[in-house]
Structure formats: C-alpha cells, structure tokens
Amino acid sequence: MGDRDEEEELQMALRMSLHGSPPAQPEPKRSKPPSPAGESPEAEARRKQRELMAAAAEKRLRAVAPPAAVAPPVTVAPPVTVAPPAAVVVPPPSQPTAVVAEQPSAPEDVKVESESTVVPMEDVKEAEVELEVDVGEEEKGEELHPELAEKLWLMVFGSGVSKAVLAQWSNQGIRFSSDPETAMGLVQHEGGPCGVLATVQAYVLKYLLFFSDNLGNPEVSDPSFALGQRRFYQSSFAARDDFSSLTEDGKTRALVHAMVEILFLCGTGKRAVVAFIGGVIREQKVDAALEGISVESAIDFQKVLRIITFTSRKDAFNMLLANIPLFRSRLGAMLFLISSLLSRGLDCIQADRDDPSQPLVTAPFGHASQEIVNLLLCGEAVPNVFDGKMDLGGGMSLKGIPSDVEVGFLTLLESLNLCKVGQYLKCPKWPIWVVGSESHYTVLFALNPNVQEENELEERESKIRRAFDAQDQSGGGGFIAVEGFQQVLRDTDITFPSDKLDDLCNAGVIVWSEFWQALLQLDKRAGGMKDPTGLMGKKQFTIYHFNGIAKSVLNGSGNTGGSTPIQRPRICKLNVSVPPRWTQDEYLADVVSSSASGSKNDSVLSLAPPVQTACQHAPLVDCIRTRWPRAACSWSGDVPSIV
C-alpha cells in the first residue's frame, strides 16, 4: 500500500504543478518508510525514481505564484489511465525526446483516480520529461540482473575467453569510412566483430541505395513500407554508385534505420531492446566516460550495462539517432550484438541453436559465429544456412533459415561442398549479400534489383532445385532416396520415359548431378530443361564487393617520395557475364574435367563463348558462382579479397 499511496501523492503534486495552483488543503506529508532489507534492485530503482520526481514536483509547486482569479469549476471525469514513470533518455537539444517502454515484467498501466481535474496525457508525458531534466543528468535504464548478466556473458564469450578476444570486441565501433571512395562503408579495425559489421553494412546499403529519399521517415523500416518500395524498384531503375556524394546525415540515418530493422527483426517485430553504458548516453560524455570502463567479466556487464525496451519503431529510431556516438565508440559493435541478443531473448536464442553449450563468439580467434550472422539476417540464431528444418529422424532435426530475408548470404564453403546455402539466403528481397570465407565476412551488392530476375527456364530450374533440396536429408550432399525422388517428380510435373526413370532409380539413391543431366536431355514440354528454341540468353550485369577491414594503401601522387600510407577499406567493381544454360556436352565436359583435376578452376568452368574482357579468377568468383553458376567475372585493379 505504501507504493500506491506515494504514487497517488506524486500524481496529485504533478497535477497541481502543471495547472499552476497549489492544493487548497494539502494533506500532511507522510514520512517515507526506510528502505526494506533485501529490497530488489528493480524495486529500489523504482523507489528512487518516485522520490526524485516527488522532490522535483514540490520544487515546481513552490515556484508557482497563487492565481489572481478563481478558476472556473471543472467537470469530474472518470479515472484516467496514466503510464507510470518510465526511463527517459535525454537526447541533445536538437533531437526529439524518446520515451522508453516499460520492461515486459512490469505492469503497463497504473490507475490514477482524479477527483477534480482531467490531466491530459500529453501534459503528463511532457512533465515527466521536464522532471527528468530537473533531477539532473543521471541517465535512466534498467540494470541487468546478476543472473542475466552471467547468462549473457557465458552465451557470448564462454568461460575461457582470452584477453585478446575481449580486446577485439571492446575496441570496434560502428563507424563509416572517411575515404570518399568507400564513404558508404563501415570500417573494421579489429578482427572478430566482422560478422556483426558486415551484416549491419548490408542493411545500411539497403537504405542508402534503395531508400535514399525516405531516410527522414523514422518508420521506413516497417515491413509494410518496404513492400511498396520493393515494388517500385522492380522496374528498370538502378541506384547511383557515386558514394562520395553521400551526406553524413544521410549515412547516419541509414545506419540507424538498419539498426532499428535488425533489432525489431530479432524481437519478432514487437520490440527492440537497446543496450547502452549507464551514464554514457549523451554525446558530450561518451569519450570521457569510456576511458575507465573495461568489459572483462559478467560482473562488468552487470555493473555498466543498462537496457531500454521499445515497442515503437519511431521511438527506437529517435533514441538511437540522438545517441549514435555511443555506438560509434569503441564498444559499439559489442553493444549492438548484446542489443540483438536481448531483443530476441536469451531463452529463445538457446532454443534456436543446435548446440547451445558453445559460445557465440568462437575460439580461439574471436570470430562471430554463423548463429550471430543468421540472427541479424533472419531474426533467429539458427546455425545452418539451408532453408527450413532438416529432419534427421528419431525426433531430431537441424534448424535452418525459416523464411525469406531482406539481405542474403553467400559463402566460399559452399563452393568447397562443405555446406549448402538455401534459396532464402541466395535470393533475398534486395540484391545485397553478406559473403563468408573461412575467417572473414564481407559484402556483395548490386545497384539494380533486376540482377535477380529469372527467365522462364531459370525459374523452372529454381523450382526443381527447391523441390529436390526439400527431400535431401544428407545435409547438402546432393542426393535423395527413391521415395523422395518420386515426390520431386510429382511436385514439379516432370515425366521421364519409363526406361530413363528405371536407370535413375537403380542405385537406390538419386544424385543431383545425374538428375540434372537427365533433365538437360528431357524436352521442356515433359518438364525438362531442353529448349529447342535456343532462347535461353546470356545475362550481363555489374556488381560491387566491399571489404571493411582497413588496409594500408598509398595516398599521394604515386611517387615514392610524395606518397604516405593510409588505412582504408576496399571496394571493387566487377563485370559479371552469365552464359546461357549448359548443353549436355558442356555439362559432361565439366563433370569429367572437375573429377580429373580435383578442383574447379576458371578454365574448366568458363565454357561460354569468349567475352570482350578476359575472365579473371579469385575466391570471390567461386562465391558468386554459387548464386550464378558458371558466371565469368572481370575487374580492374587489385584482386577483390574476402579475407
């Protein structure tokens, strides 16, 4: 009852201070009971909040002069529902104020009985903001419970993390490059957090390239808005590649939109949790306040971290925009990872994973795991990159990507037959892909969404491949059982002659390469891929590769005496030519040559007619060919690097 009485007293003081007249007969002030022993941190924080607000309200009352005339009578209204005092982040004066949502476990509303006056809701919210300024600059936010901090620490870093790995994650901000040529890119100075940076980079490019006219809309990340934009860009429109013309404000807003979209994606579209350092929420405090802060244990997490939960994209956008310097600071990448994990919920994170006993930051080099990358791409910390779930029998299954995604993922490991990336990640809604190698993540993107459009036969092949993969229980090995093969034929309306069908099923399993070879011989009228018209065509387009890790390059005239080394990311423009679909003879030649050589070099794969520029090869090309088979690539300058 004590808490309720204090709340009623506080609300009365607030109402009177807002309306400028003191109470006619103030009640005797009750003495506050001493802090009870064993009071929880959350209860103590709420009690202190009430005390501070009450003191500020009394200060306002004392400053109000008595009214000169009697106020007219007011109508008695039914009880008004007023939100309880919530954590308020005070942004710089030029930015809008973000009022933060209550933690989920707390009641969303409290009832305040009004005996004589109706208090408008906007007045109460305005008063709460003013009161926060009156009480001082102490920043608000929910502390992490010690058990939650310990669970979070073990989930991210495990129990035996090295100081070198912690240093990597404690010294990586989310900052744009100062180099004009790579001005759209985020710079990586430390190894390890590249999985977070590259995925955020992919979303940033989405907004810079395809939402540049809507960056001022704080709710542009809402899926309903993005749907209309995607329909517009399905025309022949292509974004510009003049990255040096990007403004700092535009880049910052694109970054904030990317962060908001990812956090709400992790929160199933319902909430976003923002983690920050207590007391380090305003721009002028960031650099100085972080000087003495180190994050080396769960105790440090609990001591310095504060969290705020948003249910409004607009409020989350305004808070992050006003306080983006904190995420540019050396703890930015770690704070955003923690925000994403808490937005999803730690219990949900563990349920997503196949092996929750392993830390998300992998030893010994501190790389972001595939689970972290997938969390930021699809909102779930699943460990695999195939579509949906893979049933292993006996009630066991492996978890993959649950649905289509905004930006995709390609990996060198698929070209080495070590995994199979599904169509959800290969064919995202926007032509942007995170690219994974054995030890690093980079970004591939196109300016024109039409690079993903397929002609009739390409769509046909994609449908057949999806049906085949749905029956593939080998973990991406490329073979299925006879029963599954019969289902594929039914799902794709393929009719083989009986003798050919018997040949395919004789071994008891059907291998994709043999199935594809048979389809190349089967007329398209029977569901095959043989096209007597020869209208399959060739596709040509331009694509860009960005590697955010800083590399020393010469800056100057190019002469030895006048050039100085600078650190800058790398961007490469590639010309891609995808030849017509394979004929049966070409397919057999490729299979035989690949088997004999044990590798897939460019001379084997480039079976298309010669193009104007010589084909070039790099590991990135192998990644591109997992999306566009047999693509021939060329570029100018340095070889694009995915490490």
Side-chain angles (χ1 to χ4, degrees):
M1 293 296 295
D3 287 349
R4 181 178 179 85
D5 292 339
E6 290 184 12
E7 289 287 348
E8 292 175 354
E9 180 179 318
L10 174 59
Q11 294 296 338
M12 176 64 74
L14 278 173
R15 287 196 297 271
M16 301 311 300
S17 67
L18 286 169
H19 284 267
S21 59
Q25 295 181 346
E27 296 181 4
K29 185 176 180 180
R30 294 184 294 272
S31 60
K32 293 182 175 61
S35 177
E39 183 181 32
S40 68
E42 294 82 359
E44 182 182 3
R46 289 194 296 270
R47 177 174 55 78
K48 289 182 179 179
Q49 176 83 352
R50 290 194 299 270
E51 292 173 2
L52 291 171
M53 293 185 67
E58 291 174 1
K59 178 181 176 182
R60 291 168 61 92
L61 283 172
R62 288 195 297 269
V64 175
V70 178
V74 295
T75 305
V76 177
V80 181
T81 301
V82 182
V88 178
V89 175
V90 184
S94 61
Q95 301 293 347
T97 300
V99 180
V100 185
E102 278 285 293
Q103 52 182 306
S105 60
E108 293 183 1
D109 305 294
V110 292
K111 299 287 186 179
V112 179
E113 300 292 336
S114 176
E115 298 180 356
S116 59
T117 306
V118 177
V119 183
M121 182 67 68
E122 57 271 18
D123 289 349
V124 175
K125 291 182 178 179
E126 189 175 294
E128 290 174 357
V129 174
E130 293 177 359
L131 289 173
E132 289 296 329
V133 177
D134 286 340
V135 255
E137 296 183 353
E138 179 184 358
E139 302 302 342
K140 305 302 176 183
E142 179 187 351
E143 292 185 2
L144 287 183
H145 190 277
E147 291 183 4
L148 179 62
E150 179 72 21
K151 184 176 181 180
L152 178 62
W153 178 269
L154 292 176
M155 180 184 295
V156 176
F157 294 114
S159 58
V161 61
S162 68
K163 289 186 177 181
V165 169
L166 290 178
Q168 291 174 354
W169 284 87
S170 299
N171 291 282
Q172 181 61 66
I174 306 177
R175 289 177 174 269
F176 282 101
S177 168
S178 59
D179 173 63
E181 186 179 354
T182 56
M184 35 40 83
L186 303 175
V187 185
Q188 180 185 351
H189 296 291
E190 297 289 338
C194 57
V196 173
L197 291 179
T199 311
V200 174
Q201 175 73 75
Y203 281 91
V204 168
L205 287 169
K206 166 188 166 181
Y207 287 99
L208 287 177
L209 297 178
F210 305 115
F211 292 82
S212 58
D213 294 336
N214 305 104
L215 295 178
N217 181 356
E219 297 179 302
V220 70
S221 65
D222 187 276
S224 60
F225 186 95
L227 177 61
Q229 192 78 348
R230 188 164 62 252
R231 288 172 178 167
F232 171 75
Y233 276 96
Q234 284 175 345
S235 66
S236 59
F237 181 88
R240 297 182 302 168
D241 63 353
D242 184 13
F243 305 127
S244 62
S245 66
L246 297 172
T247 65
E248 289 300 318
D249 179 69
K251 293 190 297 182
T252 299
R253 288 178 177 272
L255 172 58
V256 174
H257 282 305
M259 296 168 71
V260 170
E261 178 171 5
I262 293 172
L263 294 181
F264 271 93
L265 178 65
C266 296
T268 64
K270 299 177 181 178
R271 69 168 191 170
V273 178
V274 177
F276 62 97
I277 303 298
V280 188
I281 203 71
R282 298 172 70 177
E283 183 169 1
Q284 60 267 32
K285 292 183 177 182
V286 172
D287 293 335
L290 289 182
E291 287 182 1
I293 290 180
S294 63
V295 180
E296 298 181 352
S297 67
I299 296 176
D300 292 334
F301 264 7
Q302 199 275 330
K303 185 189 305 180
V304 303
L305 281 184
R306 301 293 181 269
I307 59 173
I308 303 175
T309 301
F310 293 94
T311 56
S312 161
R313 290 177 186 262
K314 182 177 180 180
D315 290 344
F317 176 88
N318 288 335
M319 181 270 186
L320 287 169
L321 181 64
N323 301 288
I324 200 64
L326 180 59
F327 291 90
R328 291 176 181 153
S329 75
R330 62 180 178 85
L331 294 177
M334 181 189 293
L335 288 174
F336 187 71
L337 172 60
I338 292 171
S339 300
S340 303
L341 295 173
L342 294 176
S343 295
R344 174 66 175 157
L346 301 193
D347 290 338
C348 290
I349 294 287
Q350 295 296 68
D352 292 339
R353 307 172 66 194
D354 288 341
D355 185 2
S357 66
Q358 298 298 314
L360 292 170
V361 173
T362 61
F365 303 111
H367 297 142
S369 65
Q370 188 66 47
E371 293 156 314
I372 290 178
V373 174
N374 285 350
L375 173 66
L376 306 186
L377 289 174
C378 73
E380 298 183 14
V382 294
N384 303 295
V385 291
F386 51 72
D387 293 342
K389 289 185 177 181
M390 181 178 295
D391 186 7
L392 301 179
M396 295 186 296
S397 63
L398 299 176
K399 305 179 188 72
I401 306 301
S403 60
D404 56 0
V405 294
E406 294 291 312
V407 297
F409 180 78
L410 304 173
T411 175
L412 182 65
L413 300 181
E414 181 174 9
S415 70
L416 301 174
N417 293 322
L418 297 177
C419 70
K420 175 64 180 176
V421 179
Q423 293 300 306
Y424 289 147
L425 291 177
K426 279 187 179 176
C427 304
K429 297 176 183 177
W430 301 97
I432 308 167
W433 296 263
V434 176
V435 177
S437 68
E438 301 96 326
S439 59
H440 189 45
Y441 293 98
T442 55
V443 180
L444 189 73
F445 64 97
L447 304 180
N448 194 331
N450 291 346
V451 302
Q452 296 211 93
E453 289 186 357
E454 297 180 328
N455 59 36
E456 179 185 356
L457 288 180
E458 287 174 327
E459 291 178 354
R460 177 70 178 157
E461 181 193 353
S462 296
K463 179 180 179 181
I464 295 172
R465 184 74 211 215
R466 282 195 298 268
F468 188 93
D469 288 344
Q471 302 297 325
D472 186 354
Q473 304 300 316
S474 65
F479 58 88
I480 59 178
V482 173
E483 294 79 7
F485 183 57
Q486 296 291 347
Q487 185 62 45
V488 170
L489 299 181
R490 288 192 292 270
D491 292 343
T492 55
D493 297 322
I494 295 174
T495 305
F496 278 113
S498 57
D499 57 338
K500 188 61 179 179
L501 185 61
D502 292 340
D503 289 342
L504 289 170
C505 298
N506 273 341
V509 295
I510 291 83
V511 181
W512 168 258
S513 59
E514 297 176 354
F515 179 37
W516 177 249
Q517 178 184 343
L519 286 173
L520 291 172
Q521 302 175 55
L522 184 66
D523 192 278
K524 59 182 292 187
R525 291 171 293 184
M529 302 297 293
K530 186 176 181 180
D531 180 20
T533 66
L535 299 177
M536 298 183 193
K538 180 173 66 175
K539 182 183 296 184
Q540 291 181 310
F541 54 88
T542 300
I543 204 162
Y544 294 80
H545 178 254
F546 176 77
N547 188 339
I549 198 162
K551 177 186 177 183
S552 293
V553 296
L554 292 180
N555 181 36
S557 62
N559 299 326
T560 305
S563 299
T564 57
I566 61 170
Q567 294 285 319
R568 53 166 287 185
R570 290 157 286 174
I571 190 168
C572 182
K573 179 179 179 180
L574 298 94
N575 299 310
V576 181
S577 176
V578 183
R581 292 294 179 180
W582 309 8
T583 66
Q584 181 191 3
D585 292 340
E586 288 176 338
Y587 183 85
L588 291 175
D590 177 72
V591 171
V592 172
S593 300
S594 297
S595 301
S597 64
S599 64
K600 291 188 176 182
N601 58 52
D602 194 67
S603 62
V604 172
L605 291 173
S606 293
L607 298 170
V611 293
Q612 294 295 324
T613 56
C615 298
Q616 297 168 275
H617 186 263
L620 175 63
V621 177
D622 292 331
C623 296
I624 292 173
R625 285 175 177 161
T626 65
R627 173 62 181 85
W628 293 280
R630 301 177 70 243
C633 302
S634 63
W635 58 85
S636 299
D638 294 339
V639 176
S641 172
I642 59 175
V643 296

